[in-house]
Amino acid sequence: DAGVIQSPRHEVTEMGQEVTLRCKPISGHDYLFWYRQTMMRGLELLIYFNNNVPIDDSGMPEDRFSAKMPNASFSTLKIQPSEPRDSAVYFCASSERGNDHEQYFGPGTRLTVT
Amino acid sequence: AQKVTQAQTEISVVEKEDVTLDCVYETRDTTYYLFWYKQPPSGELVFLIRRNSFDEQNEISGRYSWNFQKSTSSFNFTITASQVVDSAVYFCALSVPPPRGGGNKLTFGTGTQLKVEL
């Protein structure tokens, strides 16, 4: 079975540009999570969805970040406008059910904003 | 609030040595879940184990074993006869049920970089 799929794997963009990261969760998983990993802050949860509905977006850094999940098999994380401090690895993860289930992570998108 | 502490930033061992990675957690909830993840140099996060707060049985899976002790709020991970392929960053994580149920917010430790050399 395919795991969590993320695209692109690498993204280099200039400050001020819009960036869209994409994620396809594992089929049948009800929860989807977006994380950011940096050396300074480690792994941070940005937002998570349950059955396509955003449940907690308290980790989203600011209004420049937005996430959507239009259906059970697709989610996007958008940064507009991007800034150099957004450079990080962004992971998408999915989980079959609630907190008693492990999350499975995608390979990540390495974002570099120059 | 929840907290996970991995005091060991980096550990270096020689192949075939045993190594233990420490994890100490903090939570006021009586129901919680603990996890270990591996992040090899390729970057992906690989799930290793889940343990719930009501199950203090230790677990062994091949060369990997986990020691869960509620009395000391620790969930330590031991690799026996380490191999070069074990070189990775290992993360311990904690989740608790939200007040209204559902969800799976993981609180991660800062990770331990394990280097296994020949």
PDB file of all heavy atoms in Angstrom, chain B residues 9 20-21 23-24 27 31 33 43-44 50 55-56 71 74 88 92-93 103 107-108:
ATOM      1  N   THR B   9      21.645  14.663  23.425  1.00  0.00           N
ATOM      2  CA  THR B   9      21.586  15.290  22.112  1.00  0.00           C
ATOM      3  C   THR B   9      22.209  14.392  21.063  1.00  0.00           C
ATOM      4  O   THR B   9      21.667  14.233  19.961  1.00  0.00           O
ATOM      5  CB  THR B   9      22.307  16.640  22.141  1.00  0.00           C
ATOM      6  OG1 THR B   9      21.743  17.441  23.170  1.00  0.00           O
ATOM      7  CG2 THR B   9      22.184  17.341  20.812  1.00  0.00           C
ATOM      8  N   THR B  20      21.273   2.847  24.878  1.00  0.00           N
ATOM      9  CA  THR B  20      19.944   3.197  25.383  1.00  0.00           C
ATOM     10  C   THR B  20      19.698   4.681  25.189  1.00  0.00           C
ATOM     11  O   THR B  20      20.518   5.516  25.583  1.00  0.00           O
ATOM     12  CB  THR B  20      19.811   2.841  26.873  1.00  0.00           C
ATOM     13  OG1 THR B  20      19.907   1.421  27.015  1.00  0.00           O
ATOM     14  CG2 THR B  20      18.462   3.301  27.420  1.00  0.00           C
ATOM     15  N   LEU B  21      18.561   4.984  24.604  1.00  0.00           N
ATOM     16  CA  LEU B  21      18.139   6.359  24.396  1.00  0.00           C
ATOM     17  C   LEU B  21      17.075   6.692  25.435  1.00  0.00           C
ATOM     18  O   LEU B  21      16.082   5.970  25.565  1.00  0.00           O
ATOM     19  CB  LEU B  21      17.561   6.529  22.976  1.00  0.00           C
ATOM     20  CG  LEU B  21      18.424   5.988  21.841  1.00  0.00           C
ATOM     21  CD1 LEU B  21      17.751   6.242  20.501  1.00  0.00           C
ATOM     22  CD2 LEU B  21      19.811   6.595  21.865  1.00  0.00           C
ATOM     23  N   CYS B  23      14.127   8.883  27.429  1.00  0.00           N
ATOM     24  CA  CYS B  23      12.966   9.740  27.169  1.00  0.00           C
ATOM     25  C   CYS B  23      12.217   9.923  28.483  1.00  0.00           C
ATOM     26  O   CYS B  23      11.823   8.935  29.110  1.00  0.00           O
ATOM     27  CB  CYS B  23      12.056   9.120  26.117  1.00  0.00           C
ATOM     28  SG  CYS B  23      10.487  10.004  25.886  1.00  0.00           S
ATOM     29  N   VAL B  24      12.034  11.162  28.866  1.00  0.00           N
ATOM     30  CA  VAL B  24      11.259  11.487  30.065  1.00  0.00           C
ATOM     31  C   VAL B  24      10.102  12.376  29.635  1.00  0.00           C
ATOM     32  O   VAL B  24      10.287  13.317  28.877  1.00  0.00           O
ATOM     33  CB  VAL B  24      12.133  12.206  31.109  1.00  0.00           C
ATOM     34  CG1 VAL B  24      11.281  12.664  32.289  1.00  0.00           C
ATOM     35  CG2 VAL B  24      13.255  11.290  31.584  1.00  0.00           C
ATOM     36  N   THR B  27       3.072  14.906  31.918  1.00  0.00           N
ATOM     37  CA  THR B  27       1.674  15.145  31.603  1.00  0.00           C
ATOM     38  C   THR B  27       0.855  14.963  32.858  1.00  0.00           C
ATOM     39  O   THR B  27       1.226  14.177  33.732  1.00  0.00           O
ATOM     40  CB  THR B  27       1.166  14.198  30.502  1.00  0.00           C
ATOM     41  OG1 THR B  27      -0.225  14.457  30.257  1.00  0.00           O
ATOM     42  CG2 THR B  27       1.318  12.732  30.887  1.00  0.00           C
ATOM     43  N   THR B  31      -4.481   9.186  31.069  1.00  0.00           N
ATOM     44  CA  THR B  31      -4.492   8.439  29.806  1.00  0.00           C
ATOM     45  C   THR B  31      -3.608   9.169  28.807  1.00  0.00           C
ATOM     46  O   THR B  31      -3.825  10.348  28.531  1.00  0.00           O
ATOM     47  CB  THR B  31      -5.916   8.318  29.250  1.00  0.00           C
ATOM     48  OG1 THR B  31      -6.743   7.625  30.182  1.00  0.00           O
ATOM     49  CG2 THR B  31      -5.895   7.563  27.932  1.00  0.00           C
ATOM     50  N   TYR B  33      -0.400   8.429  25.449  1.00  0.00           N
ATOM     51  CA  TYR B  33       0.233   7.475  24.546  1.00  0.00           C
ATOM     52  C   TYR B  33       1.649   7.943  24.253  1.00  0.00           C
ATOM     53  O   TYR B  33       1.892   9.141  24.076  1.00  0.00           O
ATOM     54  CB  TYR B  33      -0.571   7.354  23.247  1.00  0.00           C
ATOM     55  CG  TYR B  33      -1.992   6.920  23.512  1.00  0.00           C
ATOM     56  CD1 TYR B  33      -2.983   7.848  23.812  1.00  0.00           C
ATOM     57  CD2 TYR B  33      -2.332   5.568  23.505  1.00  0.00           C
ATOM     58  CE1 TYR B  33      -4.278   7.447  24.103  1.00  0.00           C
ATOM     59  CE2 TYR B  33      -3.619   5.167  23.786  1.00  0.00           C
ATOM     60  CZ  TYR B  33      -4.593   6.105  24.086  1.00  0.00           C
ATOM     61  OH  TYR B  33      -5.856   5.711  24.379  1.00  0.00           O
ATOM     62  N   GLY B  43      15.728  11.424   5.821  1.00  0.00           N
ATOM     63  CA  GLY B  43      14.805  12.473   6.256  1.00  0.00           C
ATOM     64  C   GLY B  43      13.405  12.068   6.648  1.00  0.00           C
ATOM     65  O   GLY B  43      12.727  12.828   7.341  1.00  0.00           O
ATOM     66  N   GLU B  44      12.942  10.917   6.209  1.00  0.00           N
ATOM     67  CA  GLU B  44      11.559  10.566   6.552  1.00  0.00           C
ATOM     68  C   GLU B  44      11.458  10.148   8.016  1.00  0.00           C
ATOM     69  O   GLU B  44      12.432   9.755   8.637  1.00  0.00           O
ATOM     70  CB  GLU B  44      11.051   9.439   5.639  1.00  0.00           C
ATOM     71  CG  GLU B  44      11.620   8.073   5.942  1.00  0.00           C
ATOM     72  CD  GLU B  44      12.936   7.810   5.248  1.00  0.00           C
ATOM     73  OE1 GLU B  44      13.635   8.769   4.897  1.00  0.00           O
ATOM     74  OE2 GLU B  44      13.262   6.609   5.090  1.00  0.00           O
ATOM     75  N   ARG B  50       4.229   2.258  19.622  1.00  0.00           N
ATOM     76  CA  ARG B  50       3.244   2.993  20.411  1.00  0.00           C
ATOM     77  C   ARG B  50       2.999   2.237  21.709  1.00  0.00           C
ATOM     78  O   ARG B  50       2.946   1.008  21.717  1.00  0.00           O
ATOM     79  CB  ARG B  50       1.925   3.110  19.654  1.00  0.00           C
ATOM     80  CG  ARG B  50       0.827   3.830  20.415  1.00  0.00           C
ATOM     81  CD  ARG B  50      -0.519   3.742  19.712  1.00  0.00           C
ATOM     82  NE  ARG B  50      -1.148   2.456  19.892  1.00  0.00           N
ATOM     83  CZ  ARG B  50      -1.468   1.634  18.904  1.00  0.00           C
ATOM     84  NH1 ARG B  50      -1.216   1.959  17.656  1.00  0.00           N
ATOM     85  NH2 ARG B  50      -2.065   0.478  19.141  1.00  0.00           N
ATOM     86  N   ASP B  55      -0.440   0.235  29.902  1.00  0.00           N
ATOM     87  CA  ASP B  55       0.294  -0.967  29.576  1.00  0.00           C
ATOM     88  C   ASP B  55       1.767  -0.747  29.843  1.00  0.00           C
ATOM     89  O   ASP B  55       2.475  -0.179  29.018  1.00  0.00           O
ATOM     90  CB  ASP B  55       0.063  -1.323  28.097  1.00  0.00           C
ATOM     91  CG  ASP B  55       0.785  -2.597  27.713  1.00  0.00           C
ATOM     92  OD1 ASP B  55       1.385  -3.255  28.596  1.00  0.00           O
ATOM     93  OD2 ASP B  55       0.752  -2.941  26.516  1.00  0.00           O
ATOM     94  N   GLU B  56       2.226  -1.201  30.989  1.00  0.00           N
ATOM     95  CA  GLU B  56       3.617  -0.989  31.352  1.00  0.00           C
ATOM     96  C   GLU B  56       4.507  -2.156  30.981  1.00  0.00           C
ATOM     97  O   GLU B  56       5.670  -2.209  31.359  1.00  0.00           O
ATOM     98  CB  GLU B  56       3.735  -0.721  32.850  1.00  0.00           C
ATOM     99  CG  GLU B  56       3.303   0.663  33.261  1.00  0.00           C
ATOM    100  CD  GLU B  56       3.765   1.010  34.656  1.00  0.00           C
ATOM    101  OE1 GLU B  56       4.961   1.286  34.840  1.00  0.00           O
ATOM    102  OE2 GLU B  56       2.915   1.000  35.572  1.00  0.00           O
ATOM    103  N   SER B  71       6.546   5.141  37.098  1.00  0.00           N
ATOM    104  CA  SER B  71       7.037   5.700  38.359  1.00  0.00           C
ATOM    105  C   SER B  71       8.079   6.785  38.131  1.00  0.00           C
ATOM    106  O   SER B  71       8.204   7.710  38.945  1.00  0.00           O
ATOM    107  CB  SER B  71       7.615   4.590  39.234  1.00  0.00           C
ATOM    108  OG  SER B  71       8.693   3.943  38.573  1.00  0.00           O
ATOM    109  N   SER B  74       9.284   7.594  32.411  1.00  0.00           N
ATOM    110  CA  SER B  74      10.306   7.369  31.391  1.00  0.00           C
ATOM    111  C   SER B  74       9.873   6.286  30.410  1.00  0.00           C
ATOM    112  O   SER B  74       9.123   5.362  30.766  1.00  0.00           O
ATOM    113  CB  SER B  74      11.635   6.991  32.032  1.00  0.00           C
ATOM    114  OG  SER B  74      11.532   5.750  32.705  1.00  0.00           O
ATOM    115  N   ALA B  88      20.776   7.403  13.061  1.00  0.00           N
ATOM    116  CA  ALA B  88      19.586   8.194  12.761  1.00  0.00           C
ATOM    117  C   ALA B  88      19.331   9.118  13.937  1.00  0.00           C
ATOM    118  O   ALA B  88      20.002   9.042  14.971  1.00  0.00           O
ATOM    119  CB  ALA B  88      18.368   7.286  12.547  1.00  0.00           C
ATOM    120  N   CYS B  92      11.217  10.733  20.630  1.00  0.00           N
ATOM    121  CA  CYS B  92      10.178  10.246  21.521  1.00  0.00           C
ATOM    122  C   CYS B  92       9.026  11.249  21.453  1.00  0.00           C
ATOM    123  O   CYS B  92       9.262  12.460  21.303  1.00  0.00           O
ATOM    124  CB  CYS B  92      10.753  10.156  22.941  1.00  0.00           C
ATOM    125  SG  CYS B  92       9.622   9.537  24.192  1.00  0.00           S
ATOM    126  N   ALA B  93       7.796  10.773  21.539  1.00  0.00           N
ATOM    127  CA  ALA B  93       6.650  11.670  21.428  1.00  0.00           C
ATOM    128  C   ALA B  93       5.535  11.221  22.351  1.00  0.00           C
ATOM    129  O   ALA B  93       5.442  10.047  22.737  1.00  0.00           O
ATOM    130  CB  ALA B  93       6.150  11.731  19.982  1.00  0.00           C
ATOM    131  N   GLY B 103      -8.607  13.481  17.948  1.00  0.00           N
ATOM    132  CA  GLY B 103      -7.350  14.185  17.767  1.00  0.00           C
ATOM    133  C   GLY B 103      -6.160  13.357  18.184  1.00  0.00           C
ATOM    134  O   GLY B 103      -6.285  12.352  18.850  1.00  0.00           O
ATOM    135  N   THR B 107       3.345  15.626  20.898  1.00  0.00           N
ATOM    136  CA  THR B 107       4.384  16.500  21.410  1.00  0.00           C
ATOM    137  C   THR B 107       5.696  15.743  21.301  1.00  0.00           C
ATOM    138  O   THR B 107       5.856  14.684  21.918  1.00  0.00           O
ATOM    139  CB  THR B 107       4.121  16.872  22.873  1.00  0.00           C
ATOM    140  OG1 THR B 107       2.878  17.571  22.965  1.00  0.00           O
ATOM    141  CG2 THR B 107       5.248  17.749  23.407  1.00  0.00           C
ATOM    142  N   PHE B 108       6.618  16.270  20.517  1.00  0.00           N
ATOM    143  CA  PHE B 108       7.877  15.594  20.261  1.00  0.00           C
ATOM    144  C   PHE B 108       8.969  16.088  21.200  1.00  0.00           C
ATOM    145  O   PHE B 108       9.005  17.263  21.584  1.00  0.00           O
ATOM    146  CB  PHE B 108       8.344  15.846  18.826  1.00  0.00           C
ATOM    147  CG  PHE B 108       7.643  15.010  17.796  1.00  0.00           C
ATOM    148  CD1 PHE B 108       6.483  15.466  17.190  1.00  0.00           C
ATOM    149  CD2 PHE B 108       8.143  13.776  17.418  1.00  0.00           C
ATOM    150  CE1 PHE B 108       5.832  14.712  16.239  1.00  0.00           C
ATOM    151  CE2 PHE B 108       7.501  13.010  16.461  1.00  0.00           C
ATOM    152  CZ  PHE B 108       6.339  13.478  15.873  1.00  0.00           C
TER     153      PHE B 108
END
